[in-house]
Amino acid sequence: MIQPKRIAGFIPRRPVALWLAGGTLFGFTPAPSLAHDLVRRSVPAADSVVAPGPAAIRIEFSGRVDRPLSELVLRGPQGEQRVLDLVRDVPTNALAAAPVELRPGEYLIRWTAMSSDGHLTRGDIRFRCAPP
């Protein structure tokens, strides 16, 4: 019997095809399905301008977040930071805080969320408060 030549760094096609087919049969999926959840929408929106006064803060994600392991921190115009109290009556894919009083200036929402894939994800949403 004639043996095929082995070339360094070359992987024969048949074993790779069998490996891919076997993974598909047993429910293994490509890596993109393991991606972290993304922010779908936020209130206030990133880079938006809002009016002074009470404001709702809400972030919606592409998947479920584990609220007890998640956090929203608001940094105000003078650099002061405070951890916001999360409200519970929102869908499992969202984080929301009780309304906060805003005065004119630059703001940053720093969010931390335990993603549905088990990873801790973080991000920032900047917005500005200005009189109408």
Side-chain angles (χ1 to χ4, degrees), residues 24-123:
T24 303
L25 288 174
F26 292 107
F28 300 123
T29 55
S33 68
L34 300 176
H36 301 308
D37 293 327
L38 305 171
V39 171
R40 291 283 187 215
R41 190 184 116 143
S42 71
V43 175
D47 301 317
S48 66
V49 179
V50 299
I57 294 182
R58 180 180 172 121
I59 303 174
E60 296 176 11
F61 296 88
S62 60
R64 185 187 63 77
V65 292
D66 190 349
R67 209 166 286 121
L69 299 173
S70 302
E71 181 178 68
L72 294 176
V73 177
L74 181 65
R75 188 177 76 199
Q78 305 302 317
E80 71 279 10
Q81 292 190 39
R82 67 177 177 152
V83 176
L84 302 177
D85 294 325
L86 298 179
V87 296
R88 296 181 184 173
D89 59 341
V90 294
T92 58
N93 72 323
L95 295 175
V100 295
E101 190 70 28
L102 300 178
R103 61 185 187 277
E106 302 285 326
Y107 286 84
L108 175 92
I109 301 168
R110 177 155 286 153
W111 57 268
T112 303
M114 179 59 77
S115 178
S116 62
D117 67 359
H119 289 94
L120 200 58
T121 56
R122 294 182 172 95

Side-chain angles (χ1 to χ4, degrees), residues 10-18:
F10 175 75
I11 300 174
R13 288 185 195 149
R14 188 172 298 160
V16 171
L18 290 173

